[in-house]
Amino acid sequence: MEFTASSIASLVGGIVEGDGQATVSTFAKIEEGHPGAISFLANPKYAHYIYSTKSSVVIVAKSFVAEAPIAATLIRVDDPYETIARLLEFVKEATTKLPEGREEPSYVAQDVELPQGAYIGAFAYVGAGAKLGKNVKIYPQVYIGENCEIGADTIVYPGVKIYQGGKIGSRCILHSGAVIGADGFGFAPQPDGSYNKIPQMGIVEIADDVEIGANTTIDRAMMGATKIHQGVKLDNLVQIAHNVEVGQNTAMAAQVGIAGSAKIGKGCQFAGQVGIAGHITVADGAQIGAQSGIPNSVKDASKPLLGSPGIPAMQFARQVAMLRRLGDLFDRVDSIEKSLQKEKK
């Protein structure tokens, strides 16, 4: 597919600066641009590439000020990152045809009705009592247990396992290897040092418009439900323990771990390898930096947190700066002590 700069600007509500008839047929990072490609500039760290990029068209912010001549045609928009995301989605929808029908061999229980537009891939298993919404896409080697519910337009990629009773909303995306509804980590210590397993009798409830990364696990509740609310985005290798509740539009990067019964608020952002202790609450809008550990409830979300235990990011930065000087401080103290010892002699 080929588009002119003018047609793209009309689609995204942008302003063309340069040759409106410049054509593009693919996307490229600004530092790897080539003729016929469209790129974008959102991060100021990459601004120097705009003067050398070979891309035919570059999407920039309306506030961008050029410091030298630019060969590429510019499309000025309010938010370049959001705009390029919209363009990628537009092209994906225009060029991608999702599969339909049922492949063999696959198993679908007799009482399960396959709705309009559904796809069941080879070697998939759909258990008794399962309910599937319109246009559900179940890719090969997916396991869907008894009495599961999956909403309309949800995509379940190869190798996903959804244990019995799991409820998945509409327009969700579950990437390969995700496990929904495995037993929570519940064991009762015994006097002899052994552990008795505590039955996990609850379910997992995932609301609409949730995306779950590859090999992410969400454990079933001991009783009741582990809840993932609407619009949540989970990266690969995230662990959500039993009876956790994750608030609407919260996002978590890879290797985040949430311990049992923690309550995460709306609109939170967790960077990679954040750890949240069990039975605590995290306030709406909290921002927590990479590798931070949160042992206690977060009630004030006005400042980003860093470190373990997590403290305000600016305070953490000062502590790191002081630690870098700690060796010099010890050397100075050692020198002073030696001087004092000499004076005593």
Side-chain angles (χ1 to χ4, degrees), residues 88-269:
L88 287 166
E89 183 65 25
F90 172 79
V91 172
K92 179 181 178 182
E93 291 179 357
T95 59
T96 303
K97 179 175 174 57
L98 295 176
E100 295 185 13
R102 177 178 173 182
E103 296 177 350
E104 296 294 351
S106 60
Y107 175 81
V108 178
Q110 292 183 352
D111 64 344
V112 175
E113 180 180 349
L114 295 185
Q116 177 184 348
Y119 165 66
I120 307 295
F123 299 101
Y125 180 100
V126 182
K131 296 180 181 179
L132 307 179
K134 291 182 179 179
N135 298 315
V136 160
K137 308 301 179 185
I138 308 298
Y139 279 79
Q141 298 183 329
V142 166
Y143 172 85
I144 298 175
E146 296 179 356
N147 300 314
C148 287
E149 298 179 13
I150 302 179
D153 299 305
T154 285
I155 299 174
V156 186
Y157 280 113
V160 170
K161 315 300 179 189
I162 305 175
Y163 283 46
Q164 68 274 13
K167 296 182 179 181
I168 315 295
S170 299
R171 300 175 302 280
C172 294
I173 300 174
L174 280 63
H175 289 281
S176 294
V179 178
I180 311 300
D183 281 0
F185 193 65
F187 297 91
Q190 301 301 299
D192 62 359
S194 64
Y195 295 90
N196 277 354
K197 182 176 177 63
I198 300 172
Q200 306 293 292
M201 304 300 292
I203 61 172
V204 173
E205 294 181 356
I206 297 174
D208 299 341
D209 304 304
V210 170
E211 184 158 352
I212 297 171
N215 295 319
T216 283
T217 58
I218 303 176
D219 292 345
R220 69 175 50 250
M222 182 178 72
M223 56 184 70
T226 301
K227 297 181 179 181
I228 311 296
H229 288 280
Q230 184 173 5
V232 167
K233 311 300 179 187
L234 304 180
D235 197 0
N236 306 328
L237 298 168
V238 170
Q239 158 66 14
I240 305 292
H242 59 186
N243 288 98
V244 166
E245 184 171 354
V246 180
Q248 184 176 353
N249 294 327
T250 282
M252 301 181 186
Q255 299 183 7
V256 166
I258 312 296
S261 297
K263 307 299 181 187
I264 311 301
K266 301 176 183 178
C268 296
Q269 296 178 343

